[in-house]
């Protein structure tokens, strides 16, 4: 079977309003499918993952405010004294055991090792995050019911 015979076969099948024809000859196999007899056209779709490239943030010439080094230094020194409690997993951060319930900890609360600080939901599992140090909660760094990443800071604790 040569190329002209194949082209003639395709024309014949399309005019005959046949849905599918299959021909086998020695070492050649030909299958011709048409859309005749179908109520709608079907299209094969292949999904391709294309990673998003992060565009650099636009540069905005904002007015510069002079910052005295005397004010900035104590803030940096204070943060060095605090211990950062970080998320051990990716998930959703919750401050309380459920809606309308009291948060596990508030700013100013004194905590002991093993006290539950929050819950991180990952794949429908609610994981209690416990304190690894004793101290006082200085700052809560994440809003309730927001996504958190692995190793993202959640709390600042003053161990003294």
């Amino acid at each position: 079977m040569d190329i002209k015979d194949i082209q003639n076969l395709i024309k014949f099948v399309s005019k005959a309003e046949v849905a599918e024809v299959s021909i086998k000859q020695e070492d050649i196999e030909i299958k011709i499918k048409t859309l005749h007899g179908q109520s709608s056209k079907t299209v094969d779709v292949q999904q391709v993952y294309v990673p998003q490239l992060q565009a650099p943030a636009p540069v905005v010439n904002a007015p510069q405010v002079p910052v005295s080094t005397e004010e900035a230094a104590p803030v940096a020194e204070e943060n060095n004294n605090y211990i950062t409690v970080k998320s051990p997993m990716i998930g959703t951060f919750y401050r309380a055991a459920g809606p309308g319930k009291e948060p596990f900890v508030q700013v100013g609360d004194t905590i002991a090792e093993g006290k539950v600080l929050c819950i991180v939901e990952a794949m429908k599992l609610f994981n209690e995050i416990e304190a690894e140090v004793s101290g006082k909660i200085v700052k809560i760094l994440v809003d309730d019911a927001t996504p958190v990443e692995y190793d993202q800071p959640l709390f600042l604790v003053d161990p003294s």
Side-chain angles (χ1 to χ4, degrees), residues 83 109-114 131-137 157-160:
I83 295 174
D109 288 355
T110 302
I111 59 168
E113 253 183 81
E132 295 178 0
V133 295
S134 298
K136 184 177 181 179
I137 299 290
V157 178
D158 184 3
S160 53

Side-chain angles (χ1 to χ4, degrees), residues 9-113:
L9 182 62
I10 292 170
K11 287 178 187 176
F12 176 77
V13 170
S14 64
K15 287 180 184 176
E17 297 184 5
V18 178
E20 182 176 349
V21 173
S22 179
I23 298 175
K24 291 183 184 179
Q25 286 185 347
E26 298 172 15
D27 60 340
I28 296 175
E29 181 177 345
I30 299 173
K31 284 187 181 182
I32 302 171
K33 292 183 182 181
T34 64
L35 297 177
H36 296 292
Q38 294 183 0
S39 60
S40 65
K41 294 182 179 180
T42 59
V43 178
D44 291 334
V45 177
Q46 182 180 11
Q47 294 183 346
V48 178
Y49 174 73
V50 179
Q52 295 288 332
L53 297 176
Q54 292 183 355
V59 177
V60 178
N61 292 334
Q64 294 184 358
V65 179
V67 177
S68 71
T69 54
E70 295 173 4
E71 293 174 7
V75 173
E77 287 177 13
E78 285 179 18
N79 286 340
N80 289 339
N81 295 334
Y82 299 146
I83 295 174
T84 304
V85 177
K86 296 180 180 180
S87 177
M89 65 191 71
I90 297 172
T92 304
F93 172 86
Y94 294 105
R95 291 188 57 203
K101 296 192 177 182
E102 287 292 315
F104 292 109
V105 292
Q106 300 278 6
V107 173
D109 288 355
T110 302
I111 59 168
E113 253 183 81

Side-chain angles (χ1 to χ4, degrees), residues 84-89 93 117-120 129 137 139-143 147-149 151-156:
T84 304
V85 177
K86 296 180 180 180
S87 177
M89 65 191 71
F93 172 86
L117 301 175
C118 64
I119 293 177
V120 175
I129 308 303
I137 299 290
K139 189 169 186 178
I140 300 172
L141 303 170
V142 180
D143 293 329
V148 292
E149 295 292 324
D151 217 27
Q152 178 177 342
L154 303 175
F155 300 94
L156 287 181

